[in-house]
Amino acid sequence: MRPADDLPARGDQGAPEEPRKARWLVLTSALAPYMLRLWEALAAPPHGQKVRVLSSARKESSSHGNEHIAFDSPWLEVLRIDNEANRYASLPEILRYDPDIVVACGHARASNLALPWAIKRLRPQTKLYYLGDSNVLDLIEDAAASPARSLALSLKRKAIASTFRESLSLGWTNRLAHQSLGIAHSLDIPCCALDFDRLDASRATTRLPQTLLDALAKLRRPRFLCPARLVPQKNHHALLEAFRLARASDPDFRASLCLIGDGPEREPLLVQGASWSAEEFQSLGAVEASMMGALYAHFDALVLPSKVEPWGIVATEALALGIPVVASEKVGSAQSLATLVGEAVLLTRPDVEGLASALIQMWKELETRKAVARARAEQVRARFDVVQVAARLAALAAPP
């Protein structure tokens, strides 16, 4: 990837010198494509900020279950630091880069007890922001779970609050979580931003493979989609049991379910759904992020039953495309967007009975909720559009 310091100079040599662009340092332990695209939008024209992403991740990750997604940009510099071998490895890079703005993403980076040491050695005018997708409901449960977890959370809070006085908030559940961590001021800048051109099925450059299209064609309408990594906290087993219960409770219930994603739970889920027909259930593995826009177009609703979901970017994607969402009350994005999108979101408990009841309700009210979702989609896009969010980030670099 091309270093930010090596970007070509703009303008004629005789033109007045442009104001110095702010130097951003983004500290993260994960590399999600949608986050990288946001920092790229900040670094590219017209903003032209100098952005360096310093990550301890070994590979890019995807909320859709992919293990690796290549990301390359002429504007953005991404450095990987092996923090497993040396937890202090990133500190010299922080000091060497001498940033104007530091954004620490997530507990792992922001609560690193060595980070305050480096931060205190930066210039006093350096702006510091915490960016975490924490959900206040998860924090409350973490604190109540056990004395050890409560103590660990307390230490994280102290480390974060001692370093950061401002945060970048995704929504109200996220803002309350930041406040509970001890951060005094939260800016409403949702950095889980999306490039909606990439989600526009009519503009998709990557077509769905014929094998995937054939599998989708077997699913009867209405079709419910659950795109999530197949791990226990996503609660897929309860979702399959909820579909079984919904069919037993209401013989007219005929919705089908499709799982998109991969992970250690895939084989047990295939066993659990083995008695279902191809019209009722499909588990299709991981799908490239570039295909998601085309994939969403084949479904009537999205369901996200997670037991733990600090944010949940797929719910944001679906709502921005006018697709109604059934979500566990643990899903931060669904909770935060419920007031904006109204009946386009149906919140429920993550247990089998709660999910089954919500599935039946969504099925019965589907056309009404789809109409509401389509009517509110533009508001979701306006809030999470990557171009708009990048502009708001760039404004943070403006001199006081």
Side-chain angles (χ1 to χ4, degrees):
M1 296 190 182
R2 191 173 182 178
D5 291 339
D6 293 342
L7 298 183
R10 292 185 294 164
D12 298 326
Q13 291 184 349
E17 185 176 346
E18 292 186 10
R20 177 181 175 273
K21 296 296 185 182
R23 301 168 71 92
W24 293 69
L25 183 62
V26 180
L27 307 173
T28 181
S29 55
L31 291 175
Y34 63 87
M35 291 293 289
L36 289 173
R37 290 188 190 107
L38 173 61
W39 301 120
E40 180 188 43
L42 181 64
H47 306 302
Q49 308 284 294
K50 294 185 176 182
V51 183
R52 175 177 291 179
V53 177
L54 190 61
S55 174
S56 56
R58 294 183 176 181
K59 56 193 174 186
E60 289 88 347
S61 62
S62 168
S63 58
H64 306 123
N66 289 331
E67 289 298 317
H68 177 81
I69 294 177
F71 186 92
D72 196 13
S73 167
W75 308 102
L76 185 65
E77 182 183 16
V78 179
L79 299 180
R80 288 183 177 84
I81 300 294
D82 186 2
N83 268 19
E84 291 185 7
N86 178 6
R87 66 178 301 182
Y88 306 108
S90 62
L91 302 185
E93 287 295 334
I94 295 174
L95 298 177
R96 188 179 301 118
Y97 189 56
D98 188 27
D100 301 297
I101 299 173
V102 175
V103 179
C105 303
H107 286 167
R109 297 312 303 253
S111 62
N112 183 333
L113 297 179
L115 186 58
W117 178 89
I119 293 295
K120 289 177 181 178
R121 283 156 178 77
L122 297 174
R123 289 172 285 116
Q125 62 269 35
T126 302
K127 298 178 181 180
L128 308 174
Y129 298 101
Y130 171 67
L131 170 59
D133 63 357
S134 310
N135 183 328
V136 68
L137 300 176
D138 295 334
L139 292 182
I140 292 171
E141 288 190 4
D142 283 350
S146 69
R149 186 175 288 275
S150 182
L151 176 61
L153 183 60
S154 176
L155 291 175
K156 284 183 177 181
R157 284 177 172 173
K158 289 180 180 178
I160 292 171
S162 68
T163 308
F164 301 92
R165 292 292 178 266
E166 289 188 295
S167 70
L168 306 177
S169 167
L170 307 176
W172 72 264
T173 61
N174 189 224
R175 182 171 63 254
L176 290 179
H178 292 175
Q179 291 172 358
S180 71
L181 290 171
I183 298 175
H185 186 223
S186 189
L187 303 176
D188 185 27
I189 303 180
C191 290
C192 282
L194 297 169
D195 183 347
F196 293 112
D197 285 345
R198 292 174 181 264
L199 285 175
D200 187 338
S202 65
R203 301 185 185 183
T205 56
T206 306
R207 301 297 178 186
L208 297 179
Q210 190 59 47
T211 53
L212 185 58
L213 290 171
D214 292 342
L216 293 175
K218 295 176 183 177
L219 289 168
R220 66 190 179 201
R221 297 279 188 177
R223 298 170 181 160
F224 284 50
L225 171 67
C226 181
R229 184 153 174 75
L230 304 183
V231 292
Q233 59 265 36
K234 300 297 184 180
N235 207 24
H236 292 94
H237 290 287
L239 177 61
L240 265 66
E241 184 62 20
F243 263 83
R244 186 201 63 76
L245 180 58
R247 292 189 181 114
S249 302
D250 189 332
D252 292 329
F253 180 83
R254 293 183 54 79
S256 62
L257 173 65
C258 179
L259 305 184
I260 291 293
D262 213 341
E265 292 290 294
R266 188 174 187 198
E267 289 304 319
L269 287 166
L270 288 173
V271 171
Q272 185 178 356
S275 63
W276 296 13
S277 71
E279 293 181 343
E280 297 172 317
F281 173 67
Q282 298 274 353
S283 180
L284 301 179
V287 170
E288 292 294 333
S290 59
M291 298 180 184
M292 285 305 296
L295 184 69
Y296 280 127
H298 290 266
F299 289 89
D300 301 288
L302 180 135
V303 56
L304 201 57
S306 309
K307 292 184 286 187
V308 178
E309 194 72 66
W311 186 246
I313 193 70
V314 292
T316 312
E317 291 177 341
L319 291 168
L321 294 172
I323 300 171
V325 171
V326 176
S328 153
E329 60 193 6
K330 304 294 185 180
V331 178
S333 57
Q335 281 276 12
S336 293
L337 287 170
T339 55
L340 178 65
V341 301
E343 291 183 325
V345 164
L346 178 57
L347 295 169
T348 181
R349 304 186 314 274
D351 57 76
V352 171
E353 291 75 14
L355 288 166
S357 177
L359 291 169
I360 292 172
Q361 184 178 349
M362 177 61 78
W363 168 69
K364 288 181 176 179
E365 302 170 356
L366 186 57
E367 292 309 314
T368 298
R369 291 180 181 271
K370 286 171 73 171
V372 173
R374 289 191 291 266
R376 302 292 176 86
E378 194 56 42
Q379 292 172 268
V380 180
R381 286 175 174 249
R383 175 168 172 73
F384 291 96
D385 178 67
V386 68
V387 175
Q388 304 276 358
V389 176
R392 295 172 67 182
L393 284 172
L396 297 179

